[in-house]
Amino acid sequence: MPIPSYLSLPPPLKTHFRGSGGEREEMPRLVETSFLSPSTAAAAIIRSATARLLLTAFTILLVLHLAISPPSKSTYHSLFLSFSNNATVARHLIALTRRPHVAGTPANAAVAAYVLTTLSSSSSLPAHSVLYDVFLTYPLGRSLILSPFPPPSPGPTLAFDLVQEIYPGDPYADVAKEVLPTFHAYACSGAAAGPAAYANYGRLEDFAALRAAGVNVTGAVVLARYGKIYRGDIIKNAKDARAAAAVVFTDAKDYGGGGRGRFPEGPGMPASGVQVGTTYRGIGDPTTPGWASARGCERWSAAEVAASGLVPAIPSLPVSARDGEAILRTIGGQVAADDWQGGEGAPLYRLGPGPGFLNLTYIGDETLATIENVFAVIQGEEEPDRYILLGNHRDAWTFGAVDPNSGTAALLEVAQRFGKLQKRGWRPRRTIILCNWDAEEYGLIGSTEWVEENREMLASRAVAYLNVDCAVSGPGFHASATPQLDELLKQASEKVQDPDNSSQTLYQSWIASNYSSLIGRLGGGGTDFAAFVQHVGVPSVDMFFGGGYPVYHSMYDDFVWMGKFGDPMFHRHVAAASIWGLVALRLADEEFLPFNYISYASELQRSAKILEGDALGLPVTFAPLYKSIKKLKKAATEIHNERKALERNFLSLNWRKDPLKVRELNDRLMMAERAFTDRDGLFGRVWYKHLIYGPSMQDDYGSKSYPGIDDAIEKAKSSNTSESCSFVQHEVWRAARAVTQAALVLNGKFT
């Protein structure tokens, strides 16, 4: 059948294009008028012209929209990474470490002023300070005298000068006199004398080994070396062993630089170097346990602080490797085990006690001093009442180039990059708070007092806390976190360049060196995340480059050491700021919080199996805990699927998600961590509320999973009574109830 003439198309039209150098065939318009009535043809032409006008208008509006629309959040995040500047970080560190700046001193107030000015001026962020009056101690007098034999036997005595020596060419020699005399903060004032006895690292197992060897340290002055546990626990263990006093020395085996030499030629602690530090075994101001140290507040007396058992009950002093070895040369008795011996060139370590005899005196000044936390706030546009907090402390025992001001310099770098992003139009979805804490070295005091003062606000509004203390002390990235943040940390590290190998990402180098235990857990009380995690239950992260470094808490932790050994090009500082800020941006900007509780449940399962193995032989069942973990995993899977469904609806049907549904889902993700806390806290340690992660009873630096169960198991093993076994079962039930509560929060529905 032939095609009707009015349906056939005419031959292609020839159209010349200016500058084309040729011709192109153009199809005719689909609206033909030759076979239509005049009125119909006119209407068709009008409709066609109108459509073209509408299309043109829409195109113009689309172009204008694209031209004036702000960049995406991910674009801003890439910009943040591109703003890095190692020279700026180095200048900050120089300014922060010009003088020793112990908490409560004018020098530390001057550093606070620098941080405040930098945040408000250079970074253009609203900044302010919060002051607290807290209980601090400083040294008034101390002495340590060694006799080769107990008095009144004749013989020479050695009075240690207890001075850290200025090294040749030290650019800080003119302010070295401002370094406080070496001491232990909160040490017991008094005098003690007794034969010297060597106790290795001063751990419980070390004192048990001494007893097994028949060595009685009652009335002795115990000599222990730094390195394995918190110094406050060393002194408590010595006191519990009935020692009269404790001396803690910096052994060259652990802090001598590993064959690379001593500072300034190498990174190791000089022979006269002394690691100072606090001995308080609690968290926050000792006179306000559990509440903030606001002016005029209720306070414990010094006697009540002493009665708490959290400050030492015997005098103590820290000493150098040189002084420690001098004492060891006068100790006789049994030869210490091989793993108790020193390094190459050290004398033979013996157990004692005696015949070397020590006479120790320490007098401390106990006072209320003013400390200053500094804050900068970037207000969130859509959820201003949801907070992402980044924190680092400022106070240092001496110059503090590593601890803590490498972290302070990184914090200021992050702040300045955020300021630049704001000038480009970036506004975070949620509020970001930059926190610079004071008096961390005395016992996490600045952060703890602020958390205690703002506990209810943080409990209802804090999304996450991101901590950096010693940001850089060498190569190698390390991180610890509450488990729902693991994936976010890994994803962020894939975007940051490895500062020591430009051909790979931070993540690639990280997994290559630490894969077996990639991300640690935040159970210890070593730095400022403790109050957020263990007292309130805020999801948290702690990050750093390096690790233990030889000149820790000594006069030699200065800018020269950092420039020669810690980070000569300051690229690690830049990387620390990059990963820190990028994690914060993801948490502040993403519509759905990037939390993964499925991995959290798996972590709890693994930890429970380890504890169950530790409890073998005890009449205890872990079935309630496993049942609750199963509920948590199911709830975590359901909320994950719920989030995915909301995202699919947005892509397929809806132009906009229901903001209330998004908010409600995020709140469940945010609040689930709170459910792991218990208002009664750990048994005997009520300030610690978190039942999943907490510090070891024997080492405040150590992290424990299910700390209440762990404590109960240790007690049951030593006492082996039915009551102690029942208490283990009770702690299992407590942990199970907390995990069940977290599952209910994720479900978001009443039972």
Short mmCIF file of all heavy atoms in Angstrom, two decimals, residues 10 22 49 53 99 144 237 269 378 451 500 506 527 540 564 596:
data_model
loop_
_atom_site.label_atom_id
_atom_site.label_comp_id
_atom_site.label_asym_id
_atom_site.label_seq_id
_atom_site.Cartn_x
_atom_site.Cartn_y
_atom_site.Cartn_z
N PRO A 10 9.32 15.49 2.71
CA PRO A 10 10.00 16.07 1.56
C PRO A 10 11.49 15.75 1.60
O PRO A 10 12.00 15.28 2.62
CB PRO A 10 9.74 17.57 1.73
CG PRO A 10 9.60 17.76 3.20
CD PRO A 10 8.91 16.52 3.69
N GLY A 22 31.23 23.78 4.49
CA GLY A 22 30.49 22.74 3.81
C GLY A 22 29.02 22.81 4.13
O GLY A 22 28.52 23.80 4.65
N ALA A 49 6.25 27.68 18.82
CA ALA A 49 7.06 28.83 19.27
C ALA A 49 7.04 28.93 20.80
O ALA A 49 8.07 29.22 21.43
CB ALA A 49 6.51 30.11 18.64
N LEU A 53 10.17 28.77 23.37
CA LEU A 53 10.44 29.81 24.36
C LEU A 53 10.57 29.22 25.76
O LEU A 53 11.44 29.59 26.55
CB LEU A 53 9.32 30.86 24.33
CG LEU A 53 9.34 31.82 23.14
CD1 LEU A 53 8.08 32.67 23.12
CD2 LEU A 53 10.57 32.73 23.22
N ARG A 99 58.39 28.79 75.43
CA ARG A 99 58.69 28.70 76.86
C ARG A 99 58.00 27.47 77.45
O ARG A 99 56.98 27.01 76.92
CB ARG A 99 58.18 29.95 77.59
CG ARG A 99 58.81 31.25 77.16
CD ARG A 99 58.03 32.44 77.70
NE ARG A 99 57.99 32.47 79.16
CZ ARG A 99 57.17 33.27 79.86
NH1 ARG A 99 56.32 34.08 79.23
NH2 ARG A 99 57.20 33.26 81.17
N LEU A 144 67.29 13.69 97.14
CA LEU A 144 67.50 12.24 97.09
C LEU A 144 68.97 11.98 97.37
O LEU A 144 69.84 12.44 96.63
CB LEU A 144 67.09 11.68 95.73
CG LEU A 144 67.16 10.15 95.59
CD1 LEU A 144 66.14 9.49 96.52
CD2 LEU A 144 66.90 9.74 94.13
N ASN A 237 51.26 0.41 93.58
CA ASN A 237 51.71 -0.97 93.76
C ASN A 237 52.85 -1.05 94.78
O ASN A 237 52.92 -2.00 95.58
CB ASN A 237 52.15 -1.56 92.43
CG ASN A 237 50.99 -1.73 91.46
OD1 ASN A 237 49.83 -1.75 91.85
ND2 ASN A 237 51.30 -1.84 90.17
N MET A 269 66.67 9.92 74.87
CA MET A 269 66.69 10.75 76.07
C MET A 269 68.14 10.92 76.54
O MET A 269 68.85 9.93 76.72
CB MET A 269 65.86 10.11 77.17
CG MET A 269 65.83 10.88 78.47
SD MET A 269 64.66 12.25 78.46
CE MET A 269 63.17 11.41 79.01
N ILE A 378 31.79 26.88 64.95
CA ILE A 378 31.28 27.10 63.59
C ILE A 378 29.84 26.60 63.59
O ILE A 378 29.58 25.39 63.67
CB ILE A 378 32.11 26.36 62.54
CG1 ILE A 378 33.59 26.73 62.65
CG2 ILE A 378 31.59 26.66 61.13
CD1 ILE A 378 34.49 25.91 61.76
N VAL A 451 33.23 18.80 80.53
CA VAL A 451 32.25 17.74 80.25
C VAL A 451 31.30 17.59 81.43
O VAL A 451 30.08 17.46 81.25
CB VAL A 451 32.96 16.41 79.95
CG1 VAL A 451 31.96 15.24 79.96
CG2 VAL A 451 33.66 16.48 78.59
N ASP A 500 54.85 10.22 54.26
CA ASP A 500 56.19 9.67 54.08
C ASP A 500 56.35 8.89 52.78
O ASP A 500 57.41 8.34 52.51
CB ASP A 500 56.53 8.76 55.27
CG ASP A 500 56.63 9.55 56.56
OD1 ASP A 500 57.49 10.43 56.65
OD2 ASP A 500 55.83 9.31 57.48
N LEU A 506 47.31 7.34 52.85
CA LEU A 506 47.52 7.06 54.27
C LEU A 506 46.96 5.68 54.62
O LEU A 506 47.57 4.94 55.40
CB LEU A 506 46.84 8.15 55.10
CG LEU A 506 47.06 8.12 56.61
CD1 LEU A 506 48.53 8.21 56.94
CD2 LEU A 506 46.29 9.27 57.27
N THR A 527 44.19 10.26 77.83
CA THR A 527 44.06 11.61 77.29
C THR A 527 42.58 12.02 77.24
O THR A 527 41.72 11.32 77.78
CB THR A 527 44.74 11.70 75.91
OG1 THR A 527 44.78 13.06 75.48
CG2 THR A 527 44.03 10.84 74.87
N SER A 540 33.72 8.41 69.79
CA SER A 540 34.96 9.19 69.81
C SER A 540 36.06 8.52 69.01
O SER A 540 36.02 7.32 68.73
CB SER A 540 35.43 9.40 71.25
OG SER A 540 34.49 10.14 72.00
N LYS A 564 64.35 17.90 64.02
CA LYS A 564 65.40 16.95 63.64
C LYS A 564 64.88 15.52 63.52
O LYS A 564 65.33 14.76 62.65
CB LYS A 564 66.55 16.99 64.65
CG LYS A 564 67.35 18.28 64.64
CD LYS A 564 68.51 18.23 65.63
CE LYS A 564 69.61 17.29 65.18
NZ LYS A 564 70.80 17.37 66.06
N ASN A 596 28.40 2.87 61.78
CA ASN A 596 28.13 1.48 61.43
C ASN A 596 28.10 0.65 62.71
O ASN A 596 29.15 0.33 63.28
CB ASN A 596 29.22 0.96 60.48
CG ASN A 596 28.96 -0.47 60.01
OD1 ASN A 596 28.13 -1.18 60.58
ND2 ASN A 596 29.67 -0.89 58.99
#
